[in-house]
Amino acid sequence: MRMAKALTKLGRILDRLEKHYGRPAPLRITDPLEIILFDNVVYLADDRKRATAFAALKKRVGLQPDKILAAPQETLVEIAGMGGIVPRISARKLREVAAIALQKFDGRLQDALKGPPKAARKALKQFPGVGAPGADKILLFTRTEPVFAMDSNVLRVVCRLGFSKETKNYSASYRAAQNSLAGQLPANCDALIRAYQLLRQHGMEICKRSKPLCESCPLQRDCEYFHTAFRGYVSTGQN
């Protein structure tokens, strides 16, 4: 009888996070242009407020580039102000996203992802707010490439767990973390999307940048940050 492959450290961590938070919901947005619009619709807002603004954009304007470009400026500003700050800047970014999509990709950004990954990343980075981490997220969420994508929350959790070291250079920290995580998970999009969702939720709810809730963390025994910050702390009831 063939033995099941043993879970890696990260695999065990993700199982504990899923036990704590529940199974992640299926992705609601998987179109590359819609992902970019979602990320740009408001500035410095939580996921709930961002989703509200995105739903308003879809209902009141539409998500097609030509409709966004034709929309009244004040309508875009009003939508961008739904929980975010500097709404005029966000409204301008929505128009910029629409213009790039229409002028350079004829409104069909998904076609640009069908070529080599390097070309796809170059295409995505033309949009405002899309750097290497954002391009990786889009390639993963569209199931174009099974890449270990990370936002700042995921990267922070990964580094605190001891998989990599966080430095002042974000790009270097990001690439180092990706390299250190190679082989921790199967190279398929479903596994990597699950990892992104669980690690991000953990970074937002417990493993916060300031004042992390370490005493109630389900990952205490695997976390280097916890053992450094709470030397001598005796944990009971560990999951």
Side-chain angles (χ1 to χ4, degrees):
M1 182 177 178
R2 188 174 181 179
M3 298 294 291
K5 185 178 179 180
L7 284 175
T8 61
K9 176 183 176 181
L10 182 57
R12 294 192 300 272
I13 285 171
L14 293 174
D15 282 352
R16 287 210 298 279
L17 288 179
E18 186 169 300
K19 181 180 178 181
H20 184 81
Y21 294 111
R23 181 178 298 178
L27 294 175
R28 301 178 69 177
I29 304 174
T30 58
D31 177 84
L33 181 58
E34 291 184 12
I35 293 171
I36 296 172
L37 289 170
F38 183 88
D39 288 344
N40 280 281
V41 68
V42 292
Y43 181 64
L44 288 183
D46 59 29
D47 287 354
R48 181 181 59 81
K49 292 177 180 178
R50 190 177 300 279
T52 298
F54 182 78
L57 178 68
K58 183 177 181 178
K59 181 178 181 180
R60 296 176 58 183
V61 175
L63 302 178
Q64 297 79 11
D66 57 336
K67 292 184 177 181
I68 293 173
L69 291 172
Q73 175 69 4
E74 289 309 311
T75 299
L76 294 178
V77 171
E78 183 180 342
I79 292 169
M82 300 176 77
I85 63 173
V86 293
R88 291 194 176 275
I89 294 178
S90 293
R92 186 187 69 204
K93 287 183 177 180
L94 290 176
R95 289 193 187 279
E96 185 180 351
V97 169
I100 293 171
L102 195 60
Q103 295 167 9
K104 297 189 176 183
F105 303 102
D106 197 26
R108 294 186 55 81
L109 182 57
Q110 61 268 35
D111 290 346
L113 307 188
K114 295 178 181 178
K118 184 176 181 180
R121 284 182 170 82
K122 184 178 179 180
L124 292 170
K125 289 179 182 180
Q126 296 181 64
F127 290 90
V130 180
D136 283 348
K137 182 183 77 169
I138 294 168
L139 293 176
L140 176 61
F141 283 15
T142 57
R143 289 179 164 78
T144 302
E145 181 184 355
V147 57
F148 204 118
M150 292 177 281
D151 73 348
S152 59
N153 292 290
V154 178
L155 179 59
R156 179 172 64 255
V157 173
V158 164
C159 290
R160 285 180 175 174
L161 287 169
F163 287 102
S164 189
K165 299 297 181 184
E166 194 168 6
T167 68
K168 293 181 179 180
N169 186 315
Y170 188 87
S171 295
S173 297
Y174 182 83
R175 292 305 180 198
Q178 281 188 319
N179 291 335
S180 70
L181 291 165
Q184 283 286 324
L185 294 177
N188 70 70
C189 291
D190 287 340
L192 293 166
I193 289 171
R194 172 179 178 256
Y196 181 98
Q197 291 177 297
L198 288 170
L199 292 169
R200 182 173 185 267
Q201 184 173 4
H202 188 60
M204 295 175 68
E205 296 188 16
I206 291 181
C207 195
K208 303 177 182 181
R209 178 162 294 281
S210 60
K211 298 181 180 179
L213 307 178
C214 295
E215 296 92 335
S216 58
C217 179
L219 304 181
Q220 290 175 2
R221 68 169 175 249
D222 283 310
C223 182
E224 288 190 5
Y225 179 89
F226 173 81
H227 290 294
T228 299
F230 294 85
R231 292 185 186 279
Y233 179 91
V234 178
S235 175
T236 60
Q238 186 68 238
N239 290 332

